[in-house]
Amino acid sequence: MSDRRPTSVHIREVGPRDGFQNEPELISTPDKIRLIEMLSRAGYKRIEVASFVRPDVLPQLADGEEVLRGIRIPDDVELMVLIPNTRGLDRALSVRDRFHAASIFVSASETHNQKNINRAVEETLSDNEVMARRILAEGLKLDAVIATSFGCPYEGKVPLDRVLGIAERYAEMGATEIGFGDTTGMANPGYACEFFAAALERLPGIELTAHFHNTRGQGLANAYAALEVGVDSFESSFGELGGCPVPAGSTGNIATEDLASMFEEMGVDTGLDLDAVIAAAREAQAVLGRTLTSHSIIAGPVDWTGTLASH
Ligand code: ZN
């Protein structure tokens, strides 16, 4: 065990944004509100609840304002929204008192950024700078996310120095938390160690958040590797929902219940009530009308012996 391993971690639930946006069917606003409220009572202190992408591009999340207005959540839960551009920021600010943190983003890979938002990285960063000033002026917490931090499906490995250079730009803009996304699941535990050890050294005082995907089955191993070098902030999705399931049929996000189960069994406190997270994931199964595939939904938590199959 590494002496840098934290004794407790934050896990942000991203299912209501990163998960719901990848569902082929539209989830009704009341169903979203009910699921977010269930999650908000499962011990989370951070939930990503909406994205203000153009409704014609992403109809799955077109009801961001209604969701934010409708949810009733405990005071100590920080709600984050994803802001793609100035128009999205205008929409978010129309419900300014309903959330706490706003997240801006770019892809570290030039090609992925072009394909994702049709802009150059440098152009995106200067737009982000303007948005960052407005977000901070509103008294909101500024988060930044760097997609394809561990590799790009078009360009391959993205140089570590390039990713950390972008992270430094975000720190200069006033971001207090920076998330590193493994958008198409290209990280491995060795590189996750190297990456976060370097990032922690170069970005003192900034909270660094690991957002791994399980595309190639290495999501939990990567989270463990990041934990061992001192990362104490993670993002995951209940029920293993969403997270860029490309190519079709592959998985995306790591499941919150699996991540929390691993950490808790290792003695790392997540603050989560695992039964409550699994109950929310089961409710999502009912809403979506399909079976979700997280390991903990199928097997139950380690100490939940009542549901274990006999052999
Ligand atoms: Zn994701």
Side-chain angles (χ1 to χ4, degrees):
M1 171 179 163
S2 140
D3 57 1
R4 286 182 283 173
R5 179 196 293 177
T7 54
S8 66
V9 293
H10 294 286
I11 296 181
R12 176 179 289 109
E13 175 55 54
V14 299
R17 197 281 302 170
D18 197 350
F20 294 172
Q21 83 172 43
N22 285 297
E23 287 301 320
E25 309 291 331
L26 295 187
I27 302 170
S28 76
T29 309
D31 280 339
K32 286 181 182 170
I33 290 173
R34 194 172 74 257
L35 289 168
I36 293 168
E37 288 180 347
M38 279 183 89
L39 292 166
S40 77
R41 286 167 179 80
Y44 290 101
K45 294 288 173 266
R46 297 171 170 179
I47 306 178
E48 186 179 35
V49 286
S51 167
F52 290 96
V53 176
R54 266 172 44 199
D56 56 323
V57 174
L58 204 56
Q60 288 89 340
L61 298 184
D63 57 354
E65 294 93 330
E66 290 91 320
V67 169
L68 280 162
R69 278 195 204 100
I71 48 177
R72 295 290 172 268
I73 53 138
D75 287 342
D76 62 346
V77 179
E78 177 201 277
L79 297 180
M80 185 174 94
V81 303
L82 192 69
I83 309 284
N85 50 38
T86 309
R87 263 183 98 89
L89 182 55
D90 291 340
R91 281 178 61 201
L93 292 180
S94 74
V95 284
R96 154 69 188 89
D97 58 338
R98 304 297 299 160
F99 66 95
H100 313 92
S103 173
I104 52 179
F105 64 93
V106 72
S107 278
S109 141
E110 194 66 54
T111 317
H112 189 269
N113 202 62
Q114 280 289 356
K115 290 196 188 267
N116 195 30
I117 57 172
N118 200 25
R119 286 178 104 76
V121 167
E122 200 48 52
E123 199 182 354
T124 308
L125 287 172
S126 39
D127 289 350
N128 278 348
E129 206 169 338
V130 177
M131 283 160 28
R133 277 200 289 272
R134 285 182 64 195
I135 290 164
L136 291 171
E138 290 286 340
L140 292 160
K141 180 187 170 209
L142 177 68
D143 291 350
V145 172
I146 305 175
T148 63
S149 283
F150 304 88
C152 164
Y154 311 107
E155 293 183 14
K157 194 169 172 179
V158 179
L160 176 56
D161 195 53
R162 175 176 170 87
V163 182
L164 297 187
I166 294 172
E168 283 171 339
R169 297 271 296 274
Y170 278 134
E172 283 160 20
M173 290 180 207
T176 48
E177 180 185 339
I178 300 175
F180 298 93
D182 187 17
T183 313
T184 55
M186 293 175 70
N188 64 70
Y191 188 56
C193 261
E194 184 191 336
F195 181 96
F196 277 107
L200 287 161
E201 211 171 288
R202 260 177 72 171
L203 297 152
I206 305 290
E207 183 168 15
L208 306 183
T209 298
H211 182 123
F212 288 115
H213 282 187
N214 207 31
T215 323
R216 292 175 176 80
Q218 296 178 47
L220 286 183
N222 292 334
Y224 171 70
L227 178 83
E228 289 294 287
V229 295
V231 173
D232 65 357
S233 178
F234 294 85
E235 290 183 340
S236 55
S237 181
F238 74 126
E240 209 178 64
L241 287 168
C244 196
V246 174
S250 64
T251 59
N253 287 309
I254 47 178
T256 305
E257 53 272 32
D258 293 344
L259 183 67
S261 176
M262 178 180 80
F263 284 156
E264 292 286 343
E265 288 300 312
M266 290 170 62
V268 177
D269 183 32
T270 65
L272 290 177
D273 173 345
L274 207 46
D275 287 340
V277 177
I278 291 173
R282 293 213 159 114
E283 184 63 21
Q285 282 193 138
V287 166
L288 298 169
R290 67 179 173 88
T291 305
L292 299 178
T293 49
S294 82
H295 295 279
S296 300
I297 282 191
I298 295 161
V302 174
D303 61 355
W304 208 20
T305 48
T307 62
L308 291 182
S310 56
H311 45 228

